[in-house]
């Protein structure tokens, strides 16, 4: 204390100013970094730089971020709102979950299944490289911190796989996160399975932490997965049992979500153990 009192007041003032400046710069840097490229209140345009057709009605769209080192800034498990035009020229807004993470810098990707009568599907079907997509976000109630649960059970149907894939990838690619992921993914036909190559890649790269069980309503002749609709028995066999340190995530068509909620209740999964995207 005597040493501090003996210092020149100008030196003390200069040191104080320096500390304030350093803290302010650090705050601005971290705030900017956390914000990413999104705006929660206003739509921003992002240019389509690549379109890859994955099947007759599914395509992967890559959109450019402002710079080659920009990140989207989307928290794990949240989504974005996309605005486009339907076949009548009317505005339509629909939520989508990117399949990329903030570890993918300079761009983000959407895997879109385009339905014949889908209003937003029409917009994506008509999009060409160089076109822009209006995006707003982040949106969503899901919040995740590494290690908050011992294991996730996931129930996905159709395009409901995208938030599951995003969450699973974020968990598995984080070397400090030891959470295990068990996924049941239901579709009508084999051709309807989205992100199969990427999902199988997660299985290969993280065999001790990621398990997936495919279910098809109309399977091919040679098939070793589940057949029909997802049953209570499948959930019991493939997902972690009810416990205080697990969580079950659901995302699929409304009839599937309703059926899964009934199955989970019957199996003893309390409401606080469940989350529906």
């Amino acid at each position: 204390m005597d040493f501090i009192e003996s210092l020149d007041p100008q030196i003390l003032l200069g040191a104080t100013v320096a500390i304030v400046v350093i803290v302010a710069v650090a705050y601005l840097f971290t705030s900017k970094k956390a914000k990413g490229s999104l705006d929660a209140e206003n739509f921003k345009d992002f240019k389509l730089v690549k379109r890859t057709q994955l099947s007759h009605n599914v395509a992967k769209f890559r959109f450019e971020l402002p710079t080659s080192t920009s990140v989207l800034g989307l928290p794990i498990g949240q989504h974005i709102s996309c605005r486009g035009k339907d076949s009548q020229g009317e505005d339509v807004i629909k939520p989508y979950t990117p399949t990329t993470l903030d570890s993918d810098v300079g761009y983000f990707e959407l895997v879109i299944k385009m339905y014949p009568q889908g209003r937003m599907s029409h917009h994506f079907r008509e999009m060409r490289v160089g076109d822009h997509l209006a995006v707003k976000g982040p949106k969503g109630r899901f919040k995740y911190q590494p290690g908050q649960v011992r294991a996730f059970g996931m129930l996905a149907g159709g395009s409901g796989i995208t938030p599951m894939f995003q969450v699973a990838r974020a968990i598995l690619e984080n070397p400090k996160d030891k959470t295990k992921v068990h996924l049941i993914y239901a579709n009508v036909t084999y051709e309807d399975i989205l992100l199969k190559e990427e999902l199988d890649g997660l299985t290969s790269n993280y065999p001790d932490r990621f398990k997936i069980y495919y279910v098809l309503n109309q399977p091919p002749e040679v098939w070793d997965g589940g057949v029909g609709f997802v049953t209570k028995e499948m959930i019991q066999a493939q997902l972690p049992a009810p416990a205080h340190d697990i969580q079950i995530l659901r995302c699929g068509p409304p009839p599937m979500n309703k059926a899964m909620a009934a199955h989970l209740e019957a199996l003893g999964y309390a409401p606080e153990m469940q989350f529906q995207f």
Side-chain angles (χ1 to χ4, degrees):
M1 181 64 72
D2 291 338
F3 171 73
I4 293 174
E5 289 177 351
S6 67
L7 288 175
D8 190 312
Q10 287 189 334
I11 294 176
L12 283 173
L13 179 61
T16 304
V17 170
I19 292 169
V20 170
V21 168
I22 290 169
V23 170
V25 169
Y27 174 79
L28 288 171
F29 176 77
T30 54
S31 298
K32 185 179 180 182
K33 186 177 178 182
K35 184 180 179 184
S37 304
L38 291 168
D39 187 325
E41 304 299 326
N42 303 292
F43 281 98
K44 294 176 66 175
D45 287 341
F46 295 93
K47 185 167 76 171
L48 178 65
V49 292
K50 186 177 181 182
R51 173 179 173 145
T52 306
Q53 202 69 29
L54 303 179
S55 72
H56 71 285
N57 65 348
V58 178
K60 179 162 62 178
F61 298 81
R62 176 175 288 197
F63 296 92
E64 186 178 62
L65 293 176
T67 73
S68 61
T69 56
S70 296
V71 298
L72 187 60
L74 188 68
I76 297 169
Q78 298 202 7
H79 60 269
I80 55 177
S81 294
C82 299
R83 183 178 65 194
K85 300 282 187 182
D86 65 11
S87 58
Q88 305 300 312
E90 298 291 328
D91 276 351
V92 55
I93 298 171
K94 189 175 179 183
Y96 290 96
T97 304
T99 54
T100 43
L101 303 174
D102 280 354
S103 55
D104 305 300
V105 297
Y107 68 92
F108 71 94
E109 291 180 342
L110 298 173
V111 172
I112 305 293
K113 185 168 186 178
M114 290 161 281
Y115 299 92
Q117 304 304 318
R119 295 180 64 204
M120 195 67 193
S121 293
H122 170 81
H123 183 86
F124 279 108
R125 206 164 27 241
E126 296 297 313
M127 283 199 81
R128 299 294 180 264
V129 170
D131 291 345
H132 288 77
L133 179 69
V135 171
K136 183 167 69 171
K139 305 285 184 182
R141 298 175 292 113
F142 185 79
K143 297 187 187 304
Y144 179 69
Q145 293 295 326
Q148 74 180 37
V149 294
R150 170 176 51 86
F152 276 113
M154 297 180 172
L155 289 162
S159 56
I161 189 63
T162 53
M164 306 301 188
F165 176 73
Q166 184 211 60
V167 172
R169 208 190 129 193
I171 290 170
L172 298 170
E173 291 181 6
N174 182 354
K176 296 180 180 178
D177 197 335
K178 305 304 179 187
T179 307
K180 294 190 175 182
V181 180
H182 305 257
L183 168 63
I184 295 177
Y185 182 24
N187 284 281
V188 178
T189 69
Y190 185 86
E191 291 70 28
D192 291 325
I193 301 174
L194 301 180
L195 300 167
K196 189 172 190 307
E197 184 178 340
E198 290 86 349
L199 290 165
D200 290 345
L202 293 180
T203 304
S204 299
N205 294 332
Y206 309 97
D208 298 328
R209 297 177 57 213
F210 182 72
K211 307 291 183 186
I212 185 166
Y213 185 69
Y214 294 103
V215 180
L216 295 180
N217 197 260
Q218 299 171 18
E221 286 188 20
V222 180
W223 177 248
D224 59 0
V227 176
F229 296 111
V230 177
T231 64
K232 281 190 294 184
E233 291 72 23
M234 290 178 189
I235 294 173
Q236 216 162 12
Q238 303 297 330
L239 301 190
H244 73 279
D245 57 353
I246 66 99
Q247 190 171 31
I248 305 296
L249 308 180
R250 296 182 277 125
C251 190
M256 179 184 178
N257 286 333
K258 185 177 180 182
M260 294 308 100
H263 288 342
L264 292 169
E265 183 180 4
L267 290 169
Y269 292 92
E272 60 269 21
M273 296 177 197
Q274 303 178 46
F275 182 89
Q276 181 174 309
F277 285 102

